[in-house]
Structures are given as structure tokens and as C-alpha cells.
Amino acid sequence: MLSTSDQAMIQLAATQLVDDFLSKAIGELRHLPAKSQLYSFLQYAQNYSPDIVMDEFVIRQRERALKAEETSRNPQYRNLAEWYGMLQSDYQRGRLAQLAEAHLPPEPEKPKKGSENMQEELTQYKQARKHWQALRAERLAKLYPLYARHVAYHMLYNYACIENSESTRR
Amino acid sequence: MKAIQTDVYAQMDRYLDARWPNSKKLGQTLYTVFGGQENTGMAQMRRLQNIVATAVRFYDITDYVKNQMGKEVGSQRNKQRYWTAIPNGYNQMTGTLVIEDLEQLLNTAQDLAKSDPHLCPYTLAIYLAKGWIRQVMAEYLFQRAIQEG
């Protein structure tokens, strides 16, 4: 069970990601990631570990969007590539990553070159780093399903608001 | 339960009593949007009530409303809209009105939780939400009874 402060921080990280994306994205609703994309992301996040979500869904979808953008120049693909890029970087080094790492011991530092026991230190470093990464992955696996829910639902909420303002303008 | 915590729960009950007119108005508004048909709008209200009653996380409630609003995006023009409908006399969508009420409850819970570091604002907010939905649902059902006999 996640602590309530973790839950609040995840909600904040997820809604900020969506708000940041929408402030950069090309405005109209038809150019934003389709609802089916959001639900697929949600399905992946509920059923698989975050590294699988990244490798098999987010990164793949981003590559497809980048390729499609090259050929068609449709702003929807640019938005889609941006969207998956932001999800990827939030996971790797953004707010979500910081939140996951907040309760972990500090990341092991690489031994400096020129040390006497370089080989031994390097082996120790590799082991320590592997252990740290396993801890990080474990924590992210706890956070990610909830994060994905907040991301998808906040995005859907914003779609409703955008659609409403588009229909008011017309 | 410590005395200070008992006091906080008493304060929350007083707050809910004080905001009853708002909840009454929201219940009336929701009746105008959802109607009283058991298989359509009424089901949406029952689901909201159920989500609030069983929520373990406060944001489960807002997530539910956001998801329902999103589901209606891009749907056919002649399809009935509930959460994205704009009720008469308002310039906001039904879902936004509900989310704003929930945000007010969370703000109140956060203020009350400041009195004791052991109190969790989200737990208090769920308590407030449970009281809030009882008020809203009671008014919604009352409107249904008087308007549909």
C-alpha cells in the first residue's frame, strides 16, 4: 500500500505531466493523442511492469509516430511523438523518477579512474548499481499503475474541457 | 481516538451541515442533467455514490468523474451527454461542477488536518465526500420523487 503522501505526489506528477504536454501541444482536439491511445497505455500500465510498458508500448509508439510524422507531416503525429517522449522522460529522469528515487539510498557513484583497486571497485560498483536499479524498479512498479490512471483520466478530463471550448467557439 | 481528532470530526460534521445548501443545489442540478431513468442517468448517479462509498483513495472519486467526462468526448451528436453537458444557468460542465465541489472538500480537509500532524487530509477528505454524496444523492432522489411522482 502506498503512503498517502506518495499518492498525492503521484497525482501531482501525473497531472503536471498532462498540463505540461497540453501547454506545448498543437491545440485542436483532433490533433491530440486519440482516446484509444490513452486506454491502451492504461491497459499496459495495469497489466505489465513499467519497463515492459516503456519498451513494448511507449518507446515503440513514439518511434512509430516519429516515422509517420516524417512521411505525412500531420501535426497529430508530432503531438503523439511529443506525448510518448514526455512519458518516457518522466519515467527515466522526470518527476516520477525523482519520486521513485526519493526513498531509496543514494545512487552508487562510479569509482574514479586511477584508483589502485580499480578492478575491484568497479565490480563492487556494478553490484551496488544493479541492486539500486532493482530497488528503483520495484518502487516504480508500485507507483506506475496509479500514475498511469491519473495521467489517462486527467488527459480525458482535459479533452472534455477542450471539446467544450471548441464547441463554444464555433 | 484522541480528543483533538474527535473535535476534527465534529468540525467536519458542522462543515457538512453548513454546506448543505450547496449540496442541495448540486443535487437539483444533477437531477436536471441525469434525469431519473433507472437505466440511464440514475445508473450514473448510483455509480458515483458507490465510488464515493468504497473509495480508498480520495482521487479515485475525481478520476471516476474525469473518466466519465472523457468517455463522452467525440461521441455522436445525438447521443445523450451527462458529464459534459452544461446545465441551465451554468457555464461549466456537470463533471467540472462535481470536481470543484470535491476540490473544496479536499481544501477543507487539508486545513483541518493542520491541527494535528497525525491526521491525514485524504482520509478526512473521504469522510467529507461520504457526507457530501449523501446530501447530494438525497436531494437528487427527492427531486426524482416530486417530479416523477
Side-chain angles (χ1 to χ4, degrees):
Chain A
M1 185 79 181
L2 293 170
S3 72
T4 42
S5 72
D6 275 348
Q7 289 172 30
M9 295 302 285
I10 294 167
Q11 201 269 348
L12 195 65
T15 51
Q16 280 181 345
L17 175 90
V18 172
D19 294 344
D20 288 352
F21 167 71
L22 290 172
S23 68
K24 283 186 207 168
I26 303 149
E28 288 178 43
L29 193 57
R30 67 196 166 95
H31 293 147
L32 294 170
K35 281 200 292 180
S36 57
Q37 293 271 347
L38 301 178
Y39 283 119
S40 299
F41 167 63
L42 197 54
Q43 279 296 316
Y44 258 90
Q46 304 293 334
N47 293 305
Y48 299 102
S49 66
D51 50 337
I52 293 177
V53 179
M54 284 299 130
D55 293 343
E56 292 188 8
F57 186 74
V58 173
I59 295 173
R60 218 176 267 184
Q61 291 290 334
R62 182 165 185 258
E63 284 167 357
R64 280 174 64 179
L66 286 169
K67 208 174 276 179
E69 198 216 338
E70 269 177 27
T71 50
S72 77
R73 298 274 160 209
N74 184 336
Q76 189 182 12
Y77 294 121
R78 201 182 319 157
N79 275 339
L80 209 52
E82 177 74 25
W83 169 241
Y84 285 116
M86 287 178 76
L87 279 175
Q88 192 185 346
S89 69
D90 209 26
Y91 170 80
Q92 287 169 340
R93 55 188 175 276
R95 289 187 196 98
L96 179 68
Q98 286 164 14
L99 188 60
E101 289 163 21
H103 297 284
L104 298 182
E107 189 178 355
E109 281 181 30
K110 211 172 177 176
K112 285 172 189 151
K113 279 182 185 172
S115 132
E116 279 180 22
N117 304 322
M118 186 66 187
Q119 199 55 44
E120 196 182 322
E121 280 178 23
L122 207 60
T123 315
Q124 278 177 358
Y125 162 74
K126 278 181 187 167
Q127 275 179 350
R129 183 157 170 77
K130 204 172 167 188
H131 177 66
W132 185 83
Q133 280 176 330
L135 287 175
R136 183 183 188 272
E138 195 181 314
R139 184 148 163 82
L140 271 168
K142 276 188 194 160
L143 303 180
Y144 211 75
L146 186 60
Y147 169 81
R149 277 178 51 186
H150 288 316
V151 164
Y153 295 150
H154 192 58
M155 191 80 152
L156 288 167
Y157 166 68
N158 274 285
Y159 283 5
C161 296
I162 294 168
E163 189 184 58
N164 178 39
S165 67
E166 282 179 2
S167 64
T168 315
R169 270 204 309 269
R170 261 182 242 128
Chain B
M1 194 182 279
K2 289 195 296 183
I4 191 162
Q5 292 179 354
T6 316
D7 189 45
V8 166
Y9 278 85
Q11 280 184 57
M12 286 196 291
D13 288 337
R14 283 198 294 276
Y15 170 78
L16 284 169
D17 276 344
R19 68 165 295 133
W20 181 76
N22 293 33
S23 303
K24 183 182 167 189
K25 197 175 171 205
L26 183 67
Q28 288 168 350
T29 307
L30 291 180
Y31 177 77
T32 65
V33 176
F34 290 104
Q37 292 290 314
E38 194 69 54
N39 57 349
T40 53
M42 179 83 176
Q44 297 277 335
M45 286 298 294
R46 290 276 187 217
R47 182 97 176 104
L48 175 65
Q49 185 186 29
N50 192 32
I51 293 282
V52 176
T54 57
V56 284
R57 282 189 283 259
F58 180 76
Y59 285 120
D60 285 349
I61 310 168
T62 41
D63 276 353
Y64 168 74
V65 179
K66 286 177 175 182
N67 189 23
Q68 293 306 102
M69 290 174 80
K71 278 183 185 170
E72 293 178 7
V73 170
S75 57
Q76 293 146 350
R77 274 191 195 155
N78 54 359
K79 207 175 166 195
Q80 179 70 51
R81 282 173 178 255
Y82 297 111
W83 296 96
T84 54
I86 298 175
N88 284 340
Y90 290 91
N91 55 9
Q92 283 174 311
M93 293 177 283
T94 315
T96 310
L97 295 174
V98 172
I99 289 173
E100 279 185 357
D101 259 30
L102 289 166
E103 278 170 0
Q104 284 171 15
L105 299 181
L106 182 59
N107 288 341
T108 306
Q110 280 168 335
D111 286 343
L112 290 170
K114 283 176 191 160
S115 61
D116 181 349
H118 295 103
L119 288 169
C120 167
Y122 296 96
T123 311
L124 300 186
I126 289 178
Y127 179 88
L128 286 174
K130 285 178 181 169
W132 165 84
I133 196 65
R134 276 199 297 274
Q135 294 176 332
V136 173
M137 199 67 193
E139 185 59 33
Y140 169 84
L141 291 171
F142 177 65
Q143 289 300 319
R144 185 175 182 244
I146 56 171
Q147 298 199 31
E148 297 177 23

